[in-house]
Amino acid sequence: MSLYLHDIPLSQAQEAFASALQAAGLDGVLASEELPLSEALVGRVLSDAVWAKLSSPHYHASGMDGFAVQASATQPASATQPAYLQVPSQAEYVDTGDPLPLWANAVIPIEQVEPLTDGVTQAENPRRPAQIRIRASLPPWRNVRPLGEDMVATQLVLPAGHRIRPIDLGALAGSGQTSVWVACRPRVAVLPTGTELKPIGVPLQAGDIIEYNSLILAGQVNQWGGVAQRFPITPDNFEQICQQVLTAAQDSDLVLLNAGSSAGAEDFSARVVQALGALWVHGVAVRPGHPVILGMIHLPSRQVPIIGVPGYPVSAALTAEIFVEPWLARWQGCLPAEPLQVTAQLTRKTTSHAGDDDYVRVLVGRVGENLLAAPLQRGAGVISSLVQADGLVLIPAGVPGLPAGSAVQVQLYRTPAELERTIFCIGSHDVLLDLLAQFLARRQRRLVSVNAGSQAGLLALQRGEAHLAPSHLLDPLTGEYNRAYLPRYAKLDCVLLTLVERAQGLLVQAGNPLRLNSLADLARQEVRFVNRQRGAGTRVLLDYHLAQLGLTSEQVNGYEQEEYTHLAVAAAVASGRADVGLGIPAAAQALQLDFVPLYHERYDLVIPTHFYHSELLRPLRETLHTPEFRAAVQKLPGYAIEQMGKEQA
Amino acid sequence: MSLYLHDIPLSQAQEAFASALQAAGLDGVLASEELPLSEALVGRVLSDAVWAKLSSPHYHASGMDGFAVQASATQPASATQPAYLQVPSQAEYVDTGDPLPLWANAVIPIEQVEPLTDGVTQAENPRRPAQIRIRASLPPWRNVRPLGEDMVATQLVLPAGHRIRPIDLGALAGSGQTSVWVACRPRVAVLPTGTELKPIGVPLQAGDIIEYNSLILAGQVNQWGGVAQRFPITPDNFEQICQQVLTAAQDSDLVLLNAGSSAGAEDFSARVVQALGALWVHGVAVRPGHPVILGMIHLPSRQVPIIGVPGYPVSAALTAEIFVEPWLARWQGCLPAEPLQVTAQLTRKTTSHAGDDDYVRVLVGRVGENLLAAPLQRGAGVISSLVQADGLVLIPAGVPGLPAGSAVQVQLYRTPAELERTIFCIGSHDVLLDLLAQFLARRQRRLVSVNAGSQAGLLALQRGEAHLAPSHLLDPLTGEYNRAYLPRYAKLDCVLLTLVERAQGLLVQAGNPLRLNSLADLARQEVRFVNRQRGAGTRVLLDYHLAQLGLTSEQVNGYEQEEYTHLAVAAAVASGRADVGLGIPAAAQALQLDFVPLYHERYDLVIPTHFYHSELLRPLRETLHTPEFRAAVQKLPGYAIEQMGKEQA
């Protein structure tokens, strides 16, 4: 086995898979079954066209509650010259849906009839008078649903390949079907492999990985109309994996072999596929996802396609979207899903592996006139990037990257309506933003936060890329927050809406073993610091106070080590990568660190005036004044809410 | 009980229902349950926000297969001056995902390492050398996934109200959850009532109606996240319906009482609701659907909302969309569905009940630059109109109608991608169009036909409202088909692509009891004829041959009775409404009528030249030349295929 993969282009891989499946006779509906009409058919795909067995209605039906008549008998009637019809010889009461008497060809609605007993007196039961008086004529077949009005026997009710919706069940039943032929749901075996994998709920050691890819893959398969079967974890052992694959293939139309698809020391998937059948593709030039395997297991009686799915969760999910979904559709006789596409403007420069089709996860929201796509973290292991993603942008092979402001096609995971009620927030990070998002969700707003630091947020406002920027930039000259930075960065008329005042201080290991009590302690040689990125308010605060103390950045060991959020700084300390960072107490609490309070600062939401007064942001303005939100904030350590919701002069 | 309904505006009805449910404490999540993580959670809605219990990764993990090192130890290395690191003291092999040794803070990918045994010789096992040679330095934490890179303990994983997708299952598991709290699926009882209703599969008499609304409603409820329970049919009996409603309410969060919601002789629903609780609304000014009932059943222990759903299937389905879906969403803690909206151009004048919100079903397709909305049949009993619909247009109360060409908002049932591959066909009707639609569906084209007659089709081409118009218009002067009509109606450069030649003749009752053998027989006094509409090719044919015989329309009894399709003419004859019509043999066969052949005619697809050569229509052009389609046509009576696919000069 080669130690490295040789990626081939995506289209080439898809063609290789398609022609191999075609050769094996596996490129159409795999099997179909006749099922009785029931609500469980919703989502199933018709394998045969359905033609009407009955006409509907199957008789001439009254379309109204009223009196069935011969239209010609009503001809003399007018507003001034009423006509009288005898019941039941000339007029017969019918409810909606009742069959018309053979002699009748029209129905007078009961509201347009005067029911009489003797030509003058009102009848007691309006539906059983002796005669009726009418004051208008009507043409033949008025208020009648003639035989076949809806469907005529032999006409096409629904075509093959149609995915059944609830309303279709009515049409199928109405056309005389009691059952229909539908494509069988393709059976897909999902096989997690890896000695390092642990089932959900088992206590973890370093190096253990929670096995959840099989959950994702099974969920996808079921959503796409297949039936997933999840197998237990198989350790990295060639023989055991072979055995499990053979077992799984027996009752499956497709096997998904998860992980081990690369070319590492314990990557057995390619060898397993080669041993049990044919390996067509090992490596596809697509990111995330490139160590993909496409092959076939040869059973004595039949062939079963197998896909080696990479281990990183983002790669696994996207590999399934690219390679599994289209085939599940085809095996059911319908077209692959067609995600909605919109054109959006990329918020920042995005590089790409030039040789690969590169799928970039993006947040999408409308800011003023612009629909924006903000790229998320790229790591294939960062599942939260796919959870948060509003869509995917494909940077095709051959394109080394795209500059900020590029118009890109976004394949949407959300509805356009959701995008229209999205509040785009770029700037400083605070855990309160998560809490605020929760409260806004109840008021039909989606708060999407990009953690970029205070300065970057103000710059994003200037470029029209955000509705608001959380910021806590201290002006060294005045000791005031944010106001002084607006002309330099935001360059817009903005409101400073205070979210909170909060403590900043040292995040240290539990018990504070190094006894760090002031900023001056950062200059101690043995102390390893972890910093925030340039432009972050916390970095500005640090630099300001270091200068006050007469310290330089060179004197702080780890000054150049940067993180983008408070929680990331806390995680660095918690893991022992650093001894101390500057940050907020909520982050310390999150990672069970100790907190040494040093400063207080104001944390504002900087909002361009035209957005501030918009309907989109109204729920946000209101939420800051609700007792529920204030109470929730006060449950967290280190926040003061006196100024919450105040517009700073 | 009043005999008639008093419809109130839709918004008023919705508000009445909302405030009554609020008063009963039923306007939020009804109940929630804790469920273990499994693929079955997909589609369920989180009732509580989920915060990370674990960081992910929960240790510093290698991001590559390679050697873990101290970044500082690599500093001396350069392309010209390699550095040597001893294994395992200075470099240790790690697979992707392995924990980093405590002393290491970076990983060199295995591809960038020369594994050696003694400073010169290549090691046999590249993963277990004695030392490695490297030719580049790397910064700290390169190729490492630090603790918390994906998620940090305590951070928000997913908000309450989020509908779980497959990828979310991974994030939930990765953040240390083994179970989550989700909203219980609302339980909805579906009660069909009506003495005229018969279960699917039972032989039918005139007046019997197949009960399928409960199938539609149950399918909708399940699709919207509820759990439907279908009850057996209850006859129109006040006591029995009361009993069934009480039984159903016991285990339900909502009761749907189907039909009997109007004010006819056997409409008990309103009285039942009044007897068992409170009736808030009886009649809503919305079409289709106005006899809607909104009320509450009072059980000893709790209150259960009840909706009286009208009996016509289109009304029933739309009533559920309007009144049931938003509440099922609310009871699950999420927002109602937000169907995609597009702006389209109405193809014809559409009237509306001025007092009602009027939902018009439309076909939607793109013809050239125009996105078009063609209204479908309006009858609430015509379920096929909802099955065929691509979307809904709301004509609000107060608007008496809209002229042709109006820009309307369409609430889409299909994806925009489906609309882009739709071929819009307006004109003469032939059952072959259904067959053609079947064949085109396999080639990713959707053929949508509006039966309007030959002349109307050509006019539609002129207005840019169709890609093609099936036509069989005989020119009385030349005996030629279609060509002569183009300058007058289509006014465009068109190709005449022959679909087929077909017989036209008399459709008569089986056995031809009136012995009708020629067109001249239509003038016999006792013979009742059914005609096609003005502008239909068959009507032109009739008029031409009547003139040849020296007969006038006044001599034909029923000449003024018009139908829009061959099948409708056949249905009129089959039902006894008429004795004879002029039409095609396939229609006679469909309704088991006899056919008396009289004429042969050419049936062309008239296609504007610019559409004829388009990629959209390519599959149509090709299909006419396939043996499969030709064989399928020849199985039907009365068609000759010699000219199929020929472009007429």
Side-chain angles (χ1 to χ4, degrees):
Chain A
M1 284 303 293
S2 140
L3 198 60
Y4 313 119
L5 301 178
H6 295 287
D7 292 352
I8 62 170
L10 176 55
S11 59
Q12 203 176 317
Q14 284 168 324
E15 279 159 31
F17 200 43
S19 50
L21 289 180
Q22 195 171 13
L26 298 174
D27 64 337
V29 173
L30 294 181
S32 59
E33 55 187 333
E34 190 178 12
L35 295 177
L37 290 189
S38 92
E39 61 268 37
L41 280 177
V42 171
R44 299 295 296 266
V45 180
L46 290 172
S47 55
D48 297 342
V50 178
W51 307 86
K53 289 180 177 171
L54 291 179
S55 297
S56 172
H58 57 101
Y59 56 93
H60 297 321
S62 174
M64 293 277 194
D65 293 351
F67 285 85
V69 297
Q70 255 291 347
S72 57
T74 70
Q75 289 314 312
S78 71
T80 50
Q81 290 277 326
Y84 295 79
L85 300 178
Q86 300 308 312
V87 177
S89 62
Q90 292 180 295
E92 195 177 313
Y93 179 78
V94 283
D95 278 323
T96 306
D98 281 351
L100 239 52
L102 278 179
W103 52 265
N105 68 353
V107 173
I108 314 177
I110 193 165
E111 304 93 296
Q112 297 170 16
V113 157
E114 296 163 76
L116 306 174
T117 51
D118 56 3
V120 183
T121 319
Q122 181 100 8
E124 203 162 299
N125 183 338
R127 297 180 183 97
R128 289 192 191 147
Q131 58 179 199
I132 59 172
R133 184 162 59 201
I134 57 172
R135 295 181 183 273
S137 67
L138 74 176
W141 306 105
R142 175 64 54 90
N143 300 323
V144 173
R145 299 187 54 217
L147 185 153
E149 181 200 42
D150 188 353
M151 289 179 278
V152 178
T154 76
Q155 94 177 43
L156 180 70
V157 181
L158 287 167
H162 178 82
R163 200 178 282 279
I164 298 172
R165 304 161 300 172
I167 189 71
D168 300 324
L169 297 173
L172 291 168
S175 72
Q177 324 295 324
T178 56
S179 60
V180 285
W181 283 89
V182 293
C184 292
R185 297 178 61 186
R187 302 160 302 166
V188 181
V190 181
L191 269 62
T193 71
T195 307
E196 72 286 7
L197 298 182
K198 293 288 172 283
I200 291 166
V202 165
L204 299 178
Q205 308 296 322
D208 289 349
I209 293 177
I210 303 172
E211 197 294 289
Y212 57 66
N213 280 352
S214 68
L215 260 186
I216 299 175
L217 294 168
Q220 288 178 313
V221 163
N222 293 335
Q223 194 171 47
W224 297 330
V227 186
Q229 189 188 356
R230 283 168 69 201
F231 280 71
I233 297 163
T234 308
D236 289 320
N237 173 301
F238 179 77
E239 293 300 332
Q240 286 184 48
I241 298 174
C242 282
Q243 195 46 55
Q244 194 71 291
V245 166
L246 281 177
T247 305
Q250 299 297 334
D251 297 317
S252 303
D253 300 310
L254 174 67
V255 175
L256 301 182
L257 186 57
N258 188 214
S261 64
S262 191
E266 285 157 4
D267 290 328
F268 294 109
S269 292
R271 267 186 280 164
V272 166
V273 173
Q274 234 163 11
L276 301 179
L279 177 76
W280 301 313
V281 173
H282 189 196
V284 181
V286 50
R287 285 181 193 261
H290 73 117
V292 172
I293 288 168
L294 303 173
M296 188 75 96
I297 304 302
H298 295 160
L299 298 181
S301 59
R302 64 192 184 97
Q303 299 186 47
V304 182
I306 184 165
I307 298 180
V309 178
Y312 275 132
V314 177
S315 304
L318 289 179
T319 296
E321 285 190 21
I322 295 170
F323 290 100
V324 179
E325 194 277 335
W327 282 101
L328 289 186
R330 191 145 190 170
W331 291 334
Q332 291 173 82
C334 60
L335 291 177
E338 297 171 303
L340 203 60
Q341 307 256 355
V342 294
T343 303
Q345 185 183 319
L346 208 58
T347 59
R348 57 181 176 78
K349 184 184 166 196
T350 306
T351 57
S352 169
H353 304 261
D356 295 343
D357 281 337
D358 204 341
Y359 288 92
V360 179
R361 283 89 74 202
V362 294
L363 297 171
V364 184
R366 179 176 301 286
V367 178
E369 292 302 297
N370 302 328
L371 198 61
L372 299 174
L376 286 159
Q377 251 193 292
R378 305 287 287 280
V382 181
I383 191 171
S384 55
S385 69
L386 195 49
V387 167
Q388 287 162 20
D390 299 327
L392 289 181
V393 170
L394 171 62
I395 304 182
V399 177
L402 296 170
S406 299
V408 290
Q409 281 297 102
V410 184
Q411 184 176 314
L412 282 186
Y413 286 140
R414 302 194 190 271
T415 65
E418 282 177 286
L419 302 182
E420 295 298 327
R421 47 185 166 71
T422 297
I423 300 174
F424 236 64
C425 163
I426 303 184
S428 167
H429 175 257
D430 190 285
V431 290
L432 288 192
L433 296 175
D434 279 359
L435 195 67
L436 186 57
Q438 268 294 303
F439 276 76
L440 288 175
R442 297 179 205 160
R443 290 167 172 250
Q444 313 201 359
R445 291 295 179 277
R446 204 169 67 98
L447 180 69
V448 158
S449 298
V450 177
N451 306 326
S454 295
Q455 280 181 19
L458 297 181
L459 286 168
L461 293 184
Q462 184 200 313
R463 290 193 305 269
E465 293 179 353
H467 296 106
L468 61 96
S471 178
H472 56 116
L473 288 167
L474 177 65
D475 180 5
L477 297 177
T478 64
E480 245 286 352
Y481 283 91
N482 298 323
R483 178 69 64 196
Y485 289 81
L486 296 186
R488 215 177 329 156
Y489 296 111
K491 295 186 180 169
L492 276 176
D493 190 21
C494 291
V495 175
L496 298 182
L497 180 69
T498 295
L499 179 59
V500 83
E501 287 168 298
R502 64 180 191 180
Q504 284 261 21
L506 302 181
L507 313 184
V508 297
Q509 316 263 359
N512 197 358
L514 295 182
R515 311 222 165 277
L516 304 168
N517 295 313
S518 73
L519 205 64
D521 287 334
L522 300 190
R524 281 162 49 190
Q525 269 234 322
E526 77 280 17
V527 174
R528 293 168 306 150
F529 180 68
V530 56
N531 205 351
R532 290 292 307 281
Q533 84 281 14
R534 217 164 304 209
T538 302
R539 171 90 161 233
V540 171
L541 189 73
L542 174 77
D543 292 345
Y544 171 75
H545 286 289
L546 285 178
Q548 297 267 322
L549 293 172
L551 292 171
T552 65
S553 59
E554 288 75 20
Q555 290 173 272
V556 178
N557 175 15
Y559 183 90
E560 71 292 339
Q561 191 179 320
E562 297 183 349
E563 290 291 351
Y564 273 75
T565 68
H566 290 281
L567 283 172
V569 165
V573 174
S575 69
R577 261 173 56 209
D579 301 311
V580 59
L582 188 62
I584 59 175
Q589 194 188 40
L591 277 289
Q592 295 161 313
L593 300 178
D594 276 7
F595 180 73
V596 181
L598 295 180
Y599 316 112
H600 267 84
E601 64 174 7
R602 209 178 75 211
Y603 186 85
D604 291 338
L605 305 179
V606 182
I607 311 178
T609 308
H610 56 289
F611 292 137
Y612 184 75
H613 297 288
S614 68
E615 184 56 26
L616 180 72
L617 265 68
R618 190 174 50 77
L620 184 146
R621 296 194 311 269
E622 291 173 358
T623 297
L624 302 195
H625 294 282
T626 60
E628 295 78 14
F629 180 66
R630 289 168 169 240
V633 171
Q634 286 198 289
K635 279 193 196 147
L636 298 169
Y639 294 110
I641 62 160
E642 286 67 27
Q643 297 211 49
M644 182 177 284
K646 184 176 169 191
E647 300 172 24
Q648 300 294 339
Chain B
M1 286 303 293
S2 138
L3 198 61
Y4 313 121
L5 301 179
H6 296 287
D7 292 349
I8 62 169
L10 175 56
S11 59
Q12 203 175 315
Q14 284 167 324
E15 279 159 30
F17 200 43
S19 48
L21 289 180
Q22 194 171 11
L26 298 174
D27 64 337
V29 173
L30 295 182
S32 59
E33 55 187 331
E34 189 179 12
L35 294 177
L37 290 189
S38 91
E39 61 267 37
L41 281 177
V42 171
R44 299 297 294 269
V45 180
L46 290 172
S47 56
D48 297 341
V50 178
W51 308 86
K53 290 181 178 173
L54 289 180
S55 296
S56 173
H58 57 100
Y59 57 91
H60 297 319
S62 175
M64 293 277 195
D65 294 350
F67 284 85
V69 296
Q70 256 289 350
S72 57
T74 70
Q75 290 313 314
S78 71
T80 50
Q81 291 278 323
Y84 294 81
L85 299 178
Q86 299 308 312
V87 178
S89 60
Q90 292 180 294
E92 192 177 315
Y93 180 77
V94 283
D95 278 325
T96 306
D98 281 351
L100 238 53
L102 280 179
W103 51 266
N105 69 354
V107 173
I108 314 176
I110 192 164
E111 304 92 298
Q112 296 170 18
V113 157
E114 296 163 77
L116 306 174
T117 49
D118 54 5
V120 183
T121 319
Q122 179 101 8
E124 201 162 299
N125 184 338
R127 297 180 183 97
R128 288 192 191 148
Q131 57 178 196
I132 58 172
R133 184 161 57 200
I134 57 172
R135 294 182 183 272
S137 66
L138 74 174
W141 306 104
R142 175 64 55 89
N143 301 322
V144 173
R145 298 186 55 217
L147 186 154
E149 180 199 43
D150 189 354
M151 289 179 280
V152 177
T154 76
Q155 94 176 46
L156 181 70
V157 182
L158 287 167
H162 177 83
R163 201 177 281 280
I164 298 172
R165 305 160 300 173
I167 189 71
D168 300 325
L169 297 173
L172 291 168
S175 71
Q177 324 296 323
T178 56
S179 61
V180 286
W181 283 90
V182 293
C184 292
R185 298 178 60 186
R187 302 159 303 166
V188 181
V190 181
L191 270 62
T193 71
T195 307
E196 73 285 7
L197 299 183
K198 293 289 172 283
I200 290 166
V202 165
L204 301 176
Q205 308 296 321
D208 290 349
I209 293 178
I210 304 172
E211 197 294 290
Y212 57 67
N213 280 353
S214 67
L215 258 186
I216 299 176
L217 293 168
Q220 287 177 315
V221 163
N222 293 336
Q223 193 171 48
W224 297 332
V227 187
Q229 189 188 355
R230 284 167 68 201
F231 280 71
I233 298 162
T234 308
D236 290 320
N237 174 300
F238 178 77
E239 294 299 332
Q240 287 184 47
I241 297 174
C242 282
Q243 197 45 59
Q244 193 71 291
V245 166
L246 281 177
T247 305
Q250 299 297 333
D251 298 316
S252 301
D253 301 309
L254 173 67
V255 175
L256 301 181
L257 186 58
N258 188 216
S261 64
S262 192
E266 286 157 4
D267 291 327
F268 294 108
S269 292
R271 267 186 281 165
V272 166
V273 173
Q274 234 161 12
L276 301 180
L279 177 76
W280 303 313
V281 173
H282 189 196
V284 180
V286 51
R287 281 175 198 265
H290 73 116
V292 172
I293 288 168
L294 303 173
M296 188 75 96
I297 303 303
H298 295 159
L299 298 182
S301 58
R302 63 192 184 98
Q303 301 187 46
V304 181
I306 183 166
I307 299 180
V309 178
Y312 277 132
V314 177
S315 304
L318 288 179
T319 296
E321 285 189 21
I322 294 170
F323 290 101
V324 178
E325 194 277 334
W327 283 100
L328 290 186
R330 192 144 187 169
W331 290 334
Q332 293 171 80
C334 59
L335 291 176
E338 298 171 303
L340 203 61
Q341 306 256 355
V342 294
T343 304
Q345 184 183 318
L346 207 59
T347 59
R348 58 182 175 76
K349 184 183 166 197
T350 306
T351 58
S352 168
H353 305 263
D356 295 342
D357 281 336
D358 205 339
Y359 288 91
V360 179
R361 282 89 75 202
V362 294
L363 296 171
V364 184
R366 179 177 300 284
V367 178
E369 291 302 297
N370 302 326
L371 198 61
L372 300 172
L376 285 159
Q377 251 192 294
R378 305 288 287 280
V382 182
I383 191 172
S384 54
S385 69
L386 195 49
V387 167
Q388 287 162 19
D390 299 326
L392 289 181
V393 170
L394 171 64
I395 304 182
V399 177
L402 295 169
S406 300
V408 290
Q409 281 295 101
V410 184
Q411 185 176 315
L412 281 186
Y413 287 140
R414 301 192 191 273
T415 65
E418 282 179 287
L419 303 182
E420 296 298 327
R421 48 185 164 70
T422 297
I423 300 174
F424 237 64
C425 163
I426 303 183
S428 166
H429 175 256
D430 190 286
V431 290
L432 287 194
L433 296 176
D434 279 359
L435 196 67
L436 186 56
Q438 268 294 304
F439 277 77
L440 288 176
R442 297 177 205 162
R443 291 167 172 250
Q444 313 201 359
R445 291 297 180 276
R446 205 169 67 99
L447 180 70
V448 159
S449 297
V450 178
N451 306 326
S454 296
Q455 279 180 21
L458 297 181
L459 287 168
L461 292 185
Q462 184 200 315
R463 290 194 304 270
E465 292 178 353
H467 296 107
L468 61 96
S471 178
H472 55 117
L473 289 167
L474 177 66
D475 179 5
L477 298 177
T478 63
E480 243 287 351
Y481 283 90
N482 299 324
R483 179 69 64 196
Y485 289 80
L486 295 186
R488 217 179 325 158
Y489 296 111
K491 294 186 179 166
L492 276 177
D493 190 21
C494 292
V495 175
L496 299 181
L497 179 69
T498 295
L499 179 59
V500 82
E501 287 167 300
R502 65 181 192 178
Q504 284 262 21
L506 302 180
L507 313 183
V508 297
Q509 316 263 359
N512 197 357
L514 296 181
R515 311 222 162 276
L516 303 167
N517 295 312
S518 73
L519 205 63
D521 287 333
L522 299 191
R524 280 160 49 187
Q525 270 236 320
E526 79 279 17
V527 173
R528 295 167 307 149
F529 180 68
V530 56
N531 205 351
R532 289 293 306 282
Q533 85 281 15
R534 217 164 304 207
T538 303
R539 173 90 162 235
V540 172
L541 189 74
L542 174 77
D543 291 346
Y544 171 76
H545 286 289
L546 286 177
Q548 297 264 322
L549 294 171
L551 291 170
T552 66
S553 58
E554 288 76 18
Q555 290 173 276
V556 179
N557 177 12
Y559 182 90
E560 70 293 338
Q561 192 180 319
E562 297 183 348
E563 290 291 352
Y564 273 75
T565 68
H566 291 279
L567 284 170
V569 165
V573 174
S575 70
R577 263 171 58 209
D579 300 312
V580 58
L582 188 61
I584 59 174
Q589 193 189 39
L591 277 290
Q592 295 160 314
L593 301 176
D594 276 8
F595 180 74
V596 181
L598 295 180
Y599 315 112
H600 266 84
E601 64 175 8
R602 207 178 75 210
Y603 186 86
D604 291 337
L605 305 179
V606 183
I607 310 178
T609 309
H610 54 291
F611 293 137
Y612 184 76
H613 295 288
S614 68
E615 184 57 25
L616 180 72
L617 266 68
R618 190 174 51 77
L620 184 146
R621 299 195 309 269
E622 291 173 356
T623 297
L624 302 196
H625 294 281
T626 61
E628 296 78 14
F629 181 66
R630 289 169 169 238
V633 171
Q634 286 197 291
K635 280 192 194 147
L636 298 170
Y639 294 110
I641 62 160
E642 285 68 26
Q643 297 210 50
M644 180 177 287
K646 184 175 171 193
E647 300 172 24
Q648 301 293 339

